[in-house]
Amino acid sequence: MLLSPEQLNEIKEQQAASAPTRRATVESLEEILYHALPVLDHGFIRVVDYMGDDAAVVQAARVSYGRGTKKKTEDQGLINYLMRHRHSTPFEMCEIKLHVKLPIFVARQWIRHRTANINEYSARYSILDKEFYIPSPDHLAAQSSNNRQGRADVLQGEYAQKVLDMLRQDAEQTYQNYEYLLNEDDQDPTRPGLARELARMNLPVNFYTQWYWKIDLHNFMHFLSLRADAHAQYEIRVYADVMLDILKRWVPHTYEAFTDYRMGGATLSGKALTVVRQLMNGQSVDRASSGMGQREWDELMVVLQKASV
Amino acid sequence: MLLSPEQLNEIKEQQAASAPTRRATVESLEEILYHALPVLDHGFIRVVDYMGDDAAVVQAARVSYGRGTKKKTEDQGLINYLMRHRHSTPFEMCEIKLHVKLPIFVARQWIRHRTANINEYSARYSILDKEFYIPSPDHLAAQSSNNRQGRADVLQGEYAQKVLDMLRQDAEQTYQNYEYLLNEDDQDPTRPGLARELARMNLPVNFYTQWYWKIDLHNFMHFLSLRADAHAQYEIRVYADVMLDILKRWVPHTYEAFTDYRMGGATLSGKALTVVRQLMNGQSVDRASSGMGQREWDELMVVLQKASV
Amino acid sequence: MLLSPEQLNEIKEQQAASAPTRRATVESLEEILYHALPVLDHGFIRVVDYMGDDAAVVQAARVSYGRGTKKKTEDQGLINYLMRHRHSTPFEMCEIKLHVKLPIFVARQWIRHRTANINEYSARYSILDKEFYIPSPDHLAAQSSNNRQGRADVLQGEYAQKVLDMLRQDAEQTYQNYEYLLNEDDQDPTRPGLARELARMNLPVNFYTQWYWKIDLHNFMHFLSLRADAHAQYEIRVYADVMLDILKRWVPHTYEAFTDYRMGGATLSGKALTVVRQLMNGQSVDRASSGMGQREWDELMVVLQKASV
Amino acid sequence: MLLSPEQLNEIKEQQAASAPTRRATVESLEEILYHALPVLDHGFIRVVDYMGDDAAVVQAARVSYGRGTKKKTEDQGLINYLMRHRHSTPFEMCEIKLHVKLPIFVARQWIRHRTANINEYSARYSILDKEFYIPSPDHLAAQSSNNRQGRADVLQGEYAQKVLDMLRQDAEQTYQNYEYLLNEDDQDPTRPGLARELARMNLPVNFYTQWYWKIDLHNFMHFLSLRADAHAQYEIRVYADVMLDILKRWVPHTYEAFTDYRMGGATLSGKALTVVRQLMNGQSVDRASSGMGQREWDELMVVLQKASV
């Protein structure tokens, strides 16, 4: 992560400023406000603003005139209930705003979640920095042979080095040409710079972009449940992991419920529930009689932590 | 507006509490935070929380590391530019949360704006208060004869009084029966109360409901441009008017741009622009040759403040 | 359900017209197109249009140039996979449009689902028919004493009759006054009709409204999973049940997956999964050691079809 | 555009198939259904499905039991009225589904419109074709010096050729390395292919991707009003232009209203309207007294087709 002294200064100024407010305030989140939390080799997440806290969820659920909170255990109980029964609207009453720096190919997955507000740095208008993502050697994984969107073992030795060199070299080369095309410094009128909106087309999707991203708590958790999941690509999962920490600082009761019901939970189909009931009753079951496909059956056995029958 | 001492106390407690924050803070909005601003005979709007300010719009537009603001005139200029060119995403980076009490028929218009978060008081679960809207005599308007969704003159004299009595009497009667159906106080086991979710069906749509409503600044202004408009029904327009005041306190630069470009502006069609150009050139124009319909023509003459040609 | 001869004729005309199309077409849905399927005492659902079929889900998932379908079992397998892993975007590629007549209090629950397009009959502009919902005697349920939004036993005997009479009488009375206020037929200029947008405020929420409602297949199923659920109010559940039949006609493979994974399935929390694993291993478990609340525990026992331990 | 014989065959099969339907059907749109309409050097737009027509807009606006249409002039008048007063919901009752092939940097602008359904070809899962966008010589424009997101004159001569060669060479080079990284054909177990989700990061944003995109008529027009605009980047504007033709085939009455009120119209601010009124009255005006900024003033003069005063 490469922040200029000027940028670091801007961040420091915001951290120093403080004003009294009557709004719901979360101390543990204030602590990291504006900090650039590092992700991957050049990326970061900065919490820029937030609205509401655990009590605001309770307040909205009760359509309360005041804070709406009662005893701590009652509040946690209500939040658990809302989470369990997927009553999402009270969680929508909290909001968070992040400044994120991320590779373009990660940004393209990220933006598939539509229920958020985004303001992205424009490469039509401005010039992209020379910052691109190169995997660390321990994440340079081979293609999985049985899962088309999965990874297998990490590449080894000279071959791995060659791959990394190749990625780095193409990024260097294309950026050098990007700069040639822009021709920002040259004053030769016979060689005008190519339009920025065209020149940027030469850059690979491992280059970094950045945006402001604002989302409500319900959709934030939905995003995390998909992107902190083991099926998500590693490069977006590390962003989700940082956001899980942010979630914990922001709304600890909601985080606890989220951890139990979403991240640690599982949805079982009608057929799977039948299998579970039979197993609990000591009956023997097999895939053939369950009506489930092989892949689905294997997934269930993983959830139940059973050796496949 | 009928707030119980308990509710007033809850509001007072929230107003009294103050904590330091590093977030963007707006003093003039903090002043009215949690206050119940009265609307109609029993309704109100309370600002419960907010995120961002004018500078946050600028900050997002510049994808800035700090506040992003420069000179005051530059900031206003940028906000004007964004408003004029309908660059809506920077305005989406601010958010406001209101607690609103409003008649059901107003709520039904209000909720047609989908890009907002809502948590409504549930009449399945709780009991509605005996509060219903009766128009003040000077808003008891007759049906317009030429505009099917418009109002004509105010009703007069004994007839007006009869109308008001009729509205009040039906509200009283149906609420009395609602209470009978609920049978909350009676312990007679042979007469169990009707399910709340059924009993409420007896209440007319002038009864008050309430909700928490959270919306971003862009959609807030879109809502206001439709509902503070002269075509909007009076009973929702008075809510919009209060929200215009809130907007002014919250983001004065944005408010100014909104007033000039949206509320005070007009969209002219290609045909209308042709008419305008002809008029500016001193040419004479008439509806027939303009290709416009009568109604559209009349609307244009109003915008241009010309007697119809 | 009270359709005028003119309306029945309009429907008949649409049913009679037929044109060739190259689009995906579903015969079993065409059969009921435009029919008014009755719900409650005066309501209905009419399928007015649809886009796509099961194959369109497969086609979108494969970003195919043609239909995208292969063998029938492969298609069902893919649809099951998408449903299981909550890959919702391919299901969003189908769309359905309904014309619905429903009581206002049902409409107010319905519209809480925001990801749909709605065009409602306007009582500002037009006059509402004299049609209101009165529960049938076998759905006139008492308030549940242990579940604040639930129903207990059905009211009996004379008392039940009194309740029904009361509901009917208030509806009759308020509609009669609505008509008086509108004063549509009277030409007496000293007694102008009250503005329609005001007069309608006298009508209770059991009066019927109607709308066009358009939604994609993914959100349609989300709506159904919430509203065909046992926790939903009976009066909206009967609409959901009719829509389940429509879903079955429209996309039978998707319907099957939906029935297994959503309607027949259950989401278990991390704590619940631990309990399940212990039970399968023949261990004894109790609520206290599970870390679950009483209500959550009871819900789990229902899912597992076990007597509470 | 490079469609394989297999793909062309799939398209041909869909074009050949025809079935009777009772739904609204648009002959002129059926004619081009499934055709790949070429855009840029390798892109295309294919209409894959549609729902509704001009009459469906009218039908929804009238919440009609039948088609809802009356005389042709009345229908056009109603559509004009809806467009003029921004009554968007009836237009949301029509839907269109496109299959689009487009450069990644265009896709990244396109997806900023959130109110649409998208299913994109996955480069995590599948391998991207060797197809990249190279501007034609007459669109190889220099950076504008006064508008940071604008274009100036087209590059000339040898220099232009060098730029094109550079773009082509980087695309060739990075794709060759992409193939090396994937190592699809090699069976050498000591050199496993890099995971697809990683290998794709080497490709520049001028490579083509493709997706299914579904949107309602209102949002379709909103997209077109922004992207067929002169301020839009040329490379997305050409897609918008093809979609304007599709719009015209699909809903000719709506297209006409859209052309007059949106594409050919302009929104004037309150200050601009004052200037217009003064000009019409023969008064002299200047920028200083108007309260407008220079840029805004210039934009107004363009709209009014006046030499700047």
Side-chain angles (χ1 to χ4, degrees):
Chain A
M1 184 175 42
L2 200 135
L3 290 178
S4 69
E6 194 192 21
Q7 288 165 344
L8 288 168
N9 215 41
E10 285 188 277
I11 291 174
K12 208 182 261 178
E13 269 178 35
Q14 288 212 308
Q15 286 173 343
S18 177
T21 186
R22 290 160 160 176
R23 291 171 292 168
T25 299
V26 181
E27 233 176 286
S28 53
L29 196 57
E30 294 271 343
E31 279 172 22
I32 60 163
L33 216 60
Y34 307 122
H35 281 273
L37 309 170
V39 194
L40 296 179
D41 49 359
H42 298 293
F44 62 72
I45 295 180
R46 294 171 63 225
V47 182
V48 172
D49 208 343
Y50 66 93
M51 172 192 274
D53 56 5
D54 274 326
V57 175
V58 171
Q59 180 192 47
R62 298 202 169 116
V63 192
S64 153
Y65 283 79
R67 292 283 278 168
T69 59
K70 302 187 178 173
K71 274 190 252 164
K72 241 187 184 172
T73 55
E74 277 185 57
D75 286 358
Q76 180 74 62
L78 176 57
I79 285 175
N80 287 350
Y81 176 85
L82 297 170
M83 187 76 74
R84 205 159 72 240
H85 290 272
R86 297 188 176 271
H87 289 202
S88 56
T89 56
F91 295 110
E92 295 174 9
M93 288 294 156
C94 296
E95 191 93 10
I96 195 158
K97 183 162 56 178
L98 308 176
H99 177 191
V100 187
K101 188 161 196 172
L102 70 180
I104 291 171
F105 72 91
V106 174
R108 281 180 24 83
Q109 290 182 351
W110 192 301
I111 207 169
R112 295 299 299 113
H113 301 260
R114 284 160 300 177
T115 315
N117 308 114
I118 287 199
N119 219 67
E120 186 172 356
Y121 186 85
S122 168
R124 277 190 81 189
Y125 188 80
S126 306
I127 294 170
L128 285 173
D129 291 332
K130 188 182 168 182
E131 288 182 317
F132 46 84
Y133 168 62
I134 300 293
S136 66
D138 49 325
H139 288 108
L140 196 71
Q143 173 64 30
S144 163
S145 56
N146 60 353
N147 176 357
R148 286 223 274 169
Q149 56 191 357
R151 295 189 184 185
D153 295 339
V154 168
L155 304 190
Q156 301 293 343
E158 272 179 50
Y159 172 49
Q161 193 53 52
K162 180 169 178 188
V163 165
L164 290 175
D165 290 347
M166 187 175 269
L167 289 170
R168 186 176 307 276
Q169 202 174 333
D170 278 355
E172 296 273 0
Q173 174 69 27
T174 52
Y175 193 85
Q176 185 181 315
N177 288 343
Y178 173 62
E179 286 190 306
Y180 173 85
L181 294 168
L182 290 173
N183 193 26
E184 281 287 304
D185 304 322
D186 195 349
Q187 299 304 323
D188 178 358
T190 67
R191 185 163 102 57
L194 187 64
R196 289 174 183 183
E197 65 183 27
L198 286 175
R200 50 103 173 243
M201 83 164 77
N202 203 53
L203 295 179
V205 294
N206 61 344
F207 270 80
Y208 277 85
T209 183
Q210 50 179 300
W211 59 33
Y212 268 65
W213 187 65
K214 178 170 144 290
I215 193 166
D216 68 60
L217 175 53
H218 166 64
N219 281 290
F220 191 49
M221 291 191 289
H222 184 59
F223 181 95
L224 293 179
S225 71
L226 293 172
R227 299 308 182 179
D229 186 90
H231 294 90
Q233 181 166 353
Y234 167 78
E235 279 76 18
I236 197 167
R237 213 165 60 227
V238 287
Y239 283 88
D241 287 344
V242 170
M243 288 188 275
L244 278 177
D245 288 342
I246 291 169
L247 183 71
K248 193 177 182 179
R249 280 177 176 273
W250 180 24
V251 282
H253 287 332
T254 300
Y255 174 81
E256 195 172 314
F258 176 68
T259 302
D260 187 21
Y261 295 102
R262 290 283 172 281
M263 298 306 290
T267 299
L268 302 188
S269 69
K271 284 174 190 145
L273 284 175
T274 301
V275 168
V276 164
R277 289 177 199 128
Q278 289 170 331
L279 285 169
M280 285 188 320
N281 294 336
Q283 296 174 253
S284 78
V285 291
D286 59 15
R287 192 191 70 75
S289 65
S290 75
M292 298 168 76
Q294 185 63 50
R295 190 162 179 177
E296 187 181 357
W297 177 264
D298 293 344
E299 288 171 9
L300 178 61
M301 291 305 123
V302 169
V303 166
L304 300 180
Q305 299 179 348
K306 285 197 86 77
S308 191
V309 186
Chain B
M1 186 176 41
L2 201 136
L3 291 177
S4 69
E6 193 191 20
Q7 288 165 345
L8 288 169
N9 214 42
E10 285 187 278
I11 291 174
K12 209 182 259 178
E13 270 178 33
Q14 288 212 309
Q15 286 173 343
S18 177
T21 185
R22 290 161 160 177
R23 291 172 291 168
T25 299
V26 181
E27 230 175 289
S28 53
L29 196 56
E30 294 271 343
E31 278 171 24
I32 60 161
L33 216 59
Y34 306 123
H35 280 274
L37 309 170
V39 194
L40 295 179
D41 49 359
H42 298 292
F44 63 70
I45 295 181
R46 293 171 64 224
V47 182
V48 172
D49 208 342
Y50 67 94
M51 172 192 275
D53 55 6
D54 273 326
V57 175
V58 171
Q59 180 191 46
R62 299 203 169 114
V63 192
S64 152
Y65 283 80
R67 291 283 278 168
T69 59
K70 305 188 177 172
K71 274 189 253 164
K72 238 186 185 174
T73 55
E74 278 185 57
D75 286 359
Q76 180 74 62
L78 176 56
I79 286 175
N80 287 351
Y81 175 86
L82 297 171
M83 187 76 75
R84 206 159 72 240
H85 290 270
R86 297 191 176 269
H87 289 201
S88 56
T89 56
F91 296 109
E92 294 173 10
M93 287 295 155
C94 297
E95 191 93 10
I96 195 160
K97 183 161 56 177
L98 308 176
H99 177 190
V100 187
K101 188 161 196 172
L102 70 180
I104 291 171
F105 72 92
V106 173
R108 285 187 11 91
Q109 291 182 351
W110 193 301
I111 207 170
R112 294 300 297 113
H113 301 261
R114 283 159 300 177
T115 315
N117 307 114
I118 288 199
N119 219 67
E120 186 173 356
Y121 185 85
S122 168
R124 276 190 82 188
Y125 188 80
S126 306
I127 294 170
L128 285 172
D129 290 333
K130 188 181 169 184
E131 288 182 318
F132 46 84
Y133 169 62
I134 301 293
S136 67
D138 50 324
H139 288 108
L140 196 71
Q143 173 65 30
S144 162
S145 56
N146 60 353
N147 176 355
R148 285 224 274 170
Q149 54 191 356
R151 294 189 185 186
D153 296 337
V154 167
L155 304 190
Q156 300 294 342
E158 273 179 49
Y159 172 49
Q161 194 53 53
K162 182 170 176 186
V163 165
L164 291 174
D165 289 347
M166 187 176 269
L167 288 169
R168 185 176 307 276
Q169 202 173 336
D170 278 355
E172 295 274 358
Q173 174 69 29
T174 52
Y175 193 84
Q176 185 181 317
N177 287 343
Y178 173 60
E179 285 191 305
Y180 173 86
L181 293 168
L182 290 173
N183 194 25
E184 280 288 304
D185 304 321
D186 195 349
Q187 300 303 325
D188 178 358
T190 67
R191 185 163 103 55
L194 187 64
R196 289 173 183 181
E197 66 183 27
L198 286 174
R200 51 102 172 245
M201 84 164 76
N202 203 52
L203 295 179
V205 293
N206 60 345
F207 270 80
Y208 277 86
T209 183
Q210 48 178 301
W211 59 34
Y212 268 64
W213 187 65
K214 177 170 144 290
I215 193 165
D216 68 60
L217 176 53
H218 165 64
N219 281 290
F220 191 49
M221 291 190 290
H222 183 61
F223 181 95
L224 293 180
S225 72
L226 294 172
R227 300 307 183 178
D229 185 90
H231 293 91
Q233 180 165 355
Y234 166 78
E235 279 76 18
I236 197 166
R237 212 164 60 227
V238 288
Y239 283 89
D241 288 343
V242 170
M243 288 187 277
L244 279 176
D245 289 342
I246 291 169
L247 183 71
K248 193 177 182 180
R249 280 178 174 272
W250 180 23
V251 282
H253 288 332
T254 300
Y255 174 81
E256 196 173 313
F258 177 68
T259 302
D260 187 20
Y261 295 102
R262 290 282 171 282
M263 298 307 290
T267 299
L268 301 188
S269 69
K271 284 173 190 145
L273 284 174
T274 301
V275 169
V276 165
R277 288 175 199 130
Q278 291 169 330
L279 285 169
M280 286 189 320
N281 294 337
Q283 298 174 252
S284 80
V285 292
D286 59 14
R287 191 190 69 76
S289 65
S290 74
M292 298 169 76
Q294 185 63 51
R295 191 164 178 176
E296 187 180 357
W297 178 265
D298 293 343
E299 288 171 9
L300 178 61
M301 291 305 124
V302 169
V303 166
L304 301 179
Q305 298 180 349
K306 287 198 86 76
S308 190
V309 186
Chain C
M1 185 176 41
L2 201 136
L3 290 178
S4 69
E6 195 191 19
Q7 288 165 343
L8 288 169
N9 215 41
E10 285 187 277
I11 291 174
K12 208 182 260 179
E13 269 178 34
Q14 288 212 308
Q15 286 173 343
S18 176
T21 187
R22 290 160 161 177
R23 288 172 293 169
T25 300
V26 181
E27 231 174 288
S28 52
L29 197 56
E30 294 271 344
E31 277 171 24
I32 59 162
L33 216 60
Y34 306 122
H35 279 275
L37 309 170
V39 194
L40 296 179
D41 49 359
H42 298 292
F44 61 71
I45 295 180
R46 293 171 62 224
V47 182
V48 172
D49 208 342
Y50 66 93
M51 174 193 273
D53 55 6
D54 274 325
V57 175
V58 171
Q59 181 191 46
R62 298 203 169 114
V63 192
S64 153
Y65 283 79
R67 292 283 278 168
T69 58
K70 303 186 177 173
K71 273 191 253 162
K72 240 187 184 170
T73 54
E74 278 186 55
D75 286 359
Q76 180 74 61
L78 176 56
I79 286 174
N80 287 352
Y81 175 85
L82 297 171
M83 187 76 75
R84 206 159 72 240
H85 290 270
R86 297 190 176 269
H87 289 202
S88 56
T89 57
F91 295 110
E92 294 174 9
M93 288 294 156
C94 296
E95 191 93 10
I96 196 159
K97 183 161 56 177
L98 308 176
H99 177 191
V100 187
K101 188 160 196 172
L102 70 180
I104 290 171
F105 71 93
V106 173
R108 285 186 11 90
Q109 291 183 350
W110 193 301
I111 208 170
R112 295 300 298 111
H113 301 260
R114 284 160 300 178
T115 315
N117 307 114
I118 288 200
N119 219 69
E120 187 173 356
Y121 185 87
S122 168
R124 275 190 84 190
Y125 188 79
S126 306
I127 295 170
L128 285 173
D129 290 332
K130 189 182 168 182
E131 289 181 317
F132 47 83
Y133 169 63
I134 300 293
S136 67
D138 49 323
H139 288 108
L140 196 70
Q143 173 64 30
S144 163
S145 55
N146 60 353
N147 175 355
R148 286 224 275 170
Q149 55 190 355
R151 295 189 184 185
D153 295 339
V154 168
L155 305 190
Q156 301 293 343
E158 272 178 50
Y159 173 49
Q161 193 54 50
K162 183 172 175 184
V163 165
L164 291 175
D165 289 347
M166 187 174 268
L167 289 169
R168 185 176 308 276
Q169 204 174 333
D170 278 354
E172 295 273 358
Q173 174 69 28
T174 52
Y175 193 84
Q176 186 181 315
N177 286 343
Y178 173 61
E179 286 191 305
Y180 173 85
L181 294 167
L182 290 172
N183 193 26
E184 280 289 302
D185 304 321
D186 195 349
Q187 300 303 323
D188 178 359
T190 68
R191 184 163 102 56
L194 187 64
R196 288 173 184 183
E197 65 183 26
L198 286 174
R200 50 102 174 245
M201 82 165 75
N202 203 53
L203 295 179
V205 293
N206 61 344
F207 271 79
Y208 277 86
T209 183
Q210 48 179 301
W211 59 35
Y212 269 65
W213 187 65
K214 179 171 142 290
I215 194 166
D216 69 59
L217 176 53
H218 165 65
N219 282 288
F220 191 49
M221 290 190 290
H222 184 61
F223 181 95
L224 293 180
S225 72
L226 294 172
R227 299 308 183 178
D229 185 89
H231 294 91
Q233 180 165 354
Y234 166 77
E235 279 76 18
I236 198 168
R237 212 164 61 226
V238 288
Y239 283 89
D241 288 343
V242 169
M243 288 187 277
L244 279 176
D245 288 342
I246 291 169
L247 183 71
K248 193 177 182 179
R249 280 179 174 271
W250 181 22
V251 282
H253 288 331
T254 300
Y255 174 83
E256 196 172 313
F258 176 68
T259 302
D260 187 20
Y261 295 101
R262 290 284 172 281
M263 299 306 291
T267 299
L268 302 188
S269 69
K271 284 174 191 145
L273 284 175
T274 300
V275 168
V276 164
R277 288 177 199 128
Q278 290 169 330
L279 284 170
M280 286 188 320
N281 293 336
Q283 297 174 252
S284 80
V285 291
D286 59 15
R287 190 190 71 75
S289 65
S290 74
M292 298 169 76
Q294 185 64 50
R295 191 163 176 176
E296 187 180 357
W297 177 265
D298 293 343
E299 288 171 9
L300 178 61
M301 291 305 125
V302 169
V303 166
L304 300 180
Q305 298 180 350
K306 287 196 85 79
S308 191
V309 187
Chain D
M1 184 177 42
L2 201 134
L3 291 178
S4 70
E6 194 191 22
Q7 288 165 345
L8 288 169
N9 215 41
E10 285 188 278
I11 292 174
K12 207 182 260 178
E13 267 178 35
Q14 288 212 308
Q15 286 173 342
S18 176
T21 186
R22 290 161 161 176
R23 290 172 292 169
T25 299
V26 181
E27 232 175 287
S28 53
L29 196 56
E30 295 271 344
E31 278 171 23
I32 59 163
L33 216 61
Y34 307 123
H35 280 274
L37 310 170
V39 194
L40 297 178
D41 49 357
H42 298 293
F44 61 71
I45 296 181
R46 294 171 63 225
V47 182
V48 172
D49 208 342
Y50 67 94
M51 172 192 275
D53 56 5
D54 274 326
V57 175
V58 171
Q59 179 191 47
R62 299 203 169 113
V63 193
S64 152
Y65 283 79
R67 292 282 278 169
T69 59
K70 302 186 178 172
K71 274 190 251 163
K72 241 188 183 170
T73 55
E74 278 185 56
D75 286 358
Q76 180 73 62
L78 176 56
I79 285 175
N80 287 352
Y81 175 86
L82 297 171
M83 187 76 74
R84 205 160 71 241
H85 290 271
R86 297 189 177 270
H87 289 202
S88 56
T89 56
F91 296 110
E92 294 173 9
M93 288 296 156
C94 296
E95 191 94 9
I96 196 159
K97 183 162 57 178
L98 308 176
H99 177 191
V100 187
K101 188 161 197 172
L102 70 180
I104 290 171
F105 72 92
V106 174
R108 284 185 13 89
Q109 291 183 351
W110 193 302
I111 207 169
R112 296 297 300 110
H113 301 260
R114 284 160 300 177
T115 314
N117 308 113
I118 288 200
N119 220 67
E120 187 172 356
Y121 185 85
S122 168
R124 276 189 82 190
Y125 188 79
S126 305
I127 295 170
L128 285 173
D129 290 333
K130 187 181 169 183
E131 287 182 318
F132 47 84
Y133 168 63
I134 300 294
S136 67
D138 49 324
H139 288 107
L140 196 71
Q143 173 64 29
S144 163
S145 56
N146 60 353
N147 176 355
R148 286 223 274 168
Q149 56 192 356
R151 295 189 184 184
D153 294 339
V154 167
L155 306 189
Q156 300 293 343
E158 272 179 49
Y159 172 50
Q161 193 53 52
K162 181 169 177 189
V163 166
L164 290 175
D165 289 347
M166 186 175 270
L167 289 170
R168 186 178 307 277
Q169 203 174 332
D170 278 355
E172 295 274 359
Q173 174 69 28
T174 52
Y175 193 84
Q176 186 181 314
N177 286 343
Y178 174 61
E179 285 190 307
Y180 172 85
L181 294 168
L182 290 172
N183 192 26
E184 280 289 305
D185 304 322
D186 195 349
Q187 299 304 322
D188 178 357
T190 68
R191 185 163 101 58
L194 187 63
R196 289 172 183 184
E197 66 182 27
L198 287 174
R200 49 103 174 242
M201 82 165 76
N202 203 52
L203 294 179
V205 293
N206 61 345
F207 270 79
Y208 277 86
T209 182
Q210 49 179 299
W211 59 33
Y212 268 65
W213 187 64
K214 179 171 142 290
I215 194 165
D216 67 61
L217 175 53
H218 166 64
N219 282 290
F220 191 49
M221 290 191 289
H222 184 60
F223 181 96
L224 293 179
S225 72
L226 294 172
R227 299 308 181 179
D229 185 90
H231 294 91
Q233 180 165 354
Y234 167 77
E235 279 75 17
I236 198 167
R237 213 164 60 226
V238 287
Y239 283 88
D241 287 343
V242 170
M243 288 187 276
L244 278 177
D245 288 343
I246 290 170
L247 183 71
K248 193 177 182 180
R249 282 179 174 272
W250 181 23
V251 282
H253 287 331
T254 300
Y255 174 82
E256 196 172 314
F258 176 68
T259 301
D260 187 20
Y261 295 101
R262 291 283 172 280
M263 298 307 289
T267 299
L268 302 187
S269 69
K271 284 172 189 146
L273 284 174
T274 300
V275 169
V276 164
R277 289 176 199 128
Q278 290 169 330
L279 286 170
M280 285 189 320
N281 293 335
Q283 298 174 252
S284 79
V285 292
D286 58 14
R287 191 190 70 74
S289 65
S290 75
M292 298 168 76
Q294 186 63 51
R295 190 163 178 177
E296 186 180 358
W297 178 265
D298 293 344
E299 288 171 9
L300 178 62
M301 291 305 123
V302 169
V303 165
L304 301 180
Q305 299 180 350
K306 285 196 87 76
S308 192
V309 186

